[in-house]
Amino acid sequence: MKLVPSAATVKNALSAHAAIGLLAGALLYLVCLSGTVLVFYEEWQRAEQVDAPEMTAIDAQAVQRGVAAVLESERGKPPTTHLYVHLPVPELPRATITTDTQAVHLDAAGRIAAPEENKWSEFLYGLHYTLHLPGVVGITIVGILGMLMFALSITGLLAHPRIFRDAFRLRTRHGGGVGLADWHNRLSVWTLPFGLAIAITGAAIGLASVTAYALASRYYGNDLEAVYAPIFGGEAKPDTAPGPVPAVATALDYMARNHPDIAITYVTLHDPMTAGQHIQIVASPPRRLIFGEYYAFDAAGRFHGTAGLSDGAIGQQMAASNYNLHFGNYGGLPVKIAYCLFGLALTVVSATGVYIWLGKRRRRGVYEPRLLGAWHGVIWGAPAALAVTLVARFAFGNAAPFTAIFWGLLVLAIVGAVLVAGRRAAAEASIGAPATI
């Protein structure tokens, strides 16, 4: 007996196949859109809390007082595993301390000035980095989307042998989707180096976590820190016995004396107020693409060495360069503006690519108005929902449920567009009108 699926089964399978492709396209579009907006991450933080104290630099003793004040405020709470001090930099001239339970701004004297309020910026970061999915699942999916973007770029080049010759040819008045395809192809060519860089670094960043988990499980007895240690340096063995406030000022004074030309961005305290605590300073060498070098100190502020991100193995330096290359955190505002424009072009490319694909299916006789409606909902619903979350931030403050607002509005936009498309298609079918795309 020969099993042959019915025509209805084949049609449903093709629709499901197309819907899966549409989902992948929608996620890629969201990553491109959120990444374009996220280029101005520091600027968004400043806009969210305009009254936070700002300064071009902060004294080492002021940082010490701030660290002591924050640690004192956490007495009686579960001990924080890490304490981060963000030092003023040109893009974000603020001193901020973050622990496992709180984040506060410091004034120039090291006093606690106010809680940090940048939940919208963090919401945006989460959308781009993990699509608001849990931990390693979300970042892995985003990494896979980076691989998809790379594959689409390469196959697009191979599929259009004249793509560079026609780099400035636009047939905007032609029908049949030709004009849309020309814009898609031209923008793809103009942004090709940027798109490849973003795709490769995004895939590397996104898939690093799942790769590290696999290596830890297979070779390191589930010790994730041991996987990262050869690249970023390891942590000392914990000792939970009580300890004093670490000498952060001493470590900062060492950096000022021995590395006055290197901009310090972060001070990290590992296991603060314990006998096993130690200090780590992140500083960015000038004219380098790496996000920074790690300088290790003990709790008394004595220098122990560097991780080698600036002058170690080439793999270390490449790993440390991924972040700035992907997010545009180098070169100041001009580079950010360029990243924003190129990111906008990539967003348009991802949007038009699906429209072209649906148009080709339509011309082959496979017209799916609901899928087209769903794509309309994604393309116009996502930026609209993002704008509403920003309005909610300034209307209702830091506690507004940005994630729920965004995804709720996006789902409503998609469902509404599908319903409208379905009704329009039914009306056209009832009068024998030709469907359009």
Side-chain angles (χ1 to χ4, degrees):
M1 180 179 179
K2 189 175 181 179
L3 296 178
V4 179
S6 65
T9 300
V10 172
K11 183 178 179 180
N12 290 335
L14 289 173
S15 295
H17 181 76
I20 293 171
L22 197 69
L23 175 61
L27 295 179
L28 183 59
Y29 172 77
L30 289 177
V31 170
C32 291
L33 174 66
S34 58
T36 300
V37 182
L38 188 63
V39 167
F40 298 106
Y41 179 57
E42 292 83 5
E43 287 76 9
W44 287 120
Q45 291 185 71
R46 297 180 71 181
E48 279 196 79
Q49 198 171 9
V50 295
D51 57 348
E54 295 196 344
M55 62 214 76
T56 57
I58 185 169
D59 181 74
Q61 291 298 326
V63 175
Q64 183 72 46
R65 287 191 291 271
V67 168
V70 170
L71 290 174
E72 178 63 28
S73 73
E74 298 206 340
R75 285 189 180 275
K77 300 178 182 178
T80 185
T81 58
H82 294 87
L83 181 147
Y84 304 93
V85 184
H86 173 273
L87 298 179
V89 294
E91 295 81 10
L92 190 61
R94 297 175 176 180
T96 307
I97 294 182
T98 304
T99 70
D100 293 347
T101 58
Q102 64 174 323
V104 295
H105 294 298
L106 303 180
D107 63 16
R111 295 183 295 261
I112 297 176
E116 183 184 44
E117 296 183 349
N118 62 346
K119 288 296 179 62
W120 188 85
S121 302
E122 295 304 314
F123 147 80
L124 182 63
Y125 187 87
L127 176 60
H128 181 71
Y129 212 70
T130 65
L131 292 167
H132 297 142
L133 294 171
V136 69
V137 175
I139 196 172
T140 300
I141 291 175
V142 172
I144 293 172
L145 291 174
M147 294 177 60
L148 175 62
M149 182 187 296
F150 176 79
L152 289 172
S153 299
I154 298 301
T155 55
L157 285 176
L158 297 177
H160 299 84
R162 294 181 45 171
I163 196 168
F164 288 107
R165 186 191 310 176
D166 296 337
F168 297 97
R169 184 184 181 190
L170 289 171
R171 295 165 292 178
T172 56
R173 296 185 179 181
H174 286 248
V178 173
L180 190 65
D182 275 359
W183 272 112
H184 176 85
N185 293 336
R186 299 302 84 82
L187 288 175
S188 298
V189 172
W190 299 340
T191 62
L192 181 62
F194 175 80
L196 290 176
I198 293 298
I200 294 171
T201 55
I205 294 170
L207 296 179
S209 294
V210 68
T211 302
Y213 275 103
L215 290 173
S217 175
R218 180 66 177 85
Y219 299 105
Y220 295 93
N222 293 317
D223 185 356
L224 194 60
E225 292 180 0
V227 177
Y228 286 114
I231 301 175
F232 300 107
E235 292 194 23
K237 292 183 178 180
D239 184 345
T240 57
V245 176
V248 175
T250 304
L252 289 173
D253 286 339
Y254 173 91
M255 294 296 296
R257 290 192 310 270
N258 294 277
H259 304 284
D261 59 332
I262 298 180
I264 300 174
T265 53
Y266 274 95
V267 178
T268 303
L269 306 185
H270 298 266
D271 301 314
M273 302 296 287
T274 70
Q277 66 187 336
H278 56 104
I279 304 168
Q280 189 177 61
I281 289 179
V282 183
S284 302
R287 297 179 299 278
R288 295 295 304 278
L289 191 58
I290 62 171
F291 70 83
E293 175 64 276
Y294 288 145
Y295 295 80
F297 299 82
D298 62 19
R302 291 184 291 262
F303 178 62
H304 281 210
T306 64
L309 299 179
S310 62
D311 57 2
I314 187 65
Q316 282 183 285
Q317 298 185 49
M318 290 176 62
S321 300
N322 269 343
Y323 299 92
N324 281 354
L325 184 58
H326 186 79
F327 291 106
N329 296 331
Y330 63 94
L333 187 60
V335 171
K336 287 190 173 188
I337 293 174
Y339 265 63
C340 181
L341 294 175
F342 285 135
L344 182 61
L346 283 182
T347 305
V348 173
V349 168
S350 67
T352 54
V354 175
Y355 278 124
I356 293 168
W357 171 60
L358 291 173
K360 287 181 178 179
R361 290 171 62 86
R362 159 76 175 86
R363 289 188 291 276
R364 291 199 302 264
V366 184
Y367 178 52
E368 295 164 312
R370 289 176 178 81
L371 285 182
L372 178 59
W375 190 242
H376 284 321
V378 170
I379 296 305
W380 301 109
L386 203 57
V388 171
T389 61
L390 184 58
V391 171
R393 167 63 184 88
F394 293 107
F396 304 109
N398 204 46
F402 304 116
T403 302
I405 292 172
F406 176 81
W407 290 104
L409 289 178
L410 181 57
V411 169
L412 286 176
I414 294 172
V415 171
V418 168
L419 292 176
V420 170
R423 291 174 181 172
R424 183 178 299 168
E428 291 172 346
S430 67
I431 63 174
T436 58
I437 188 167

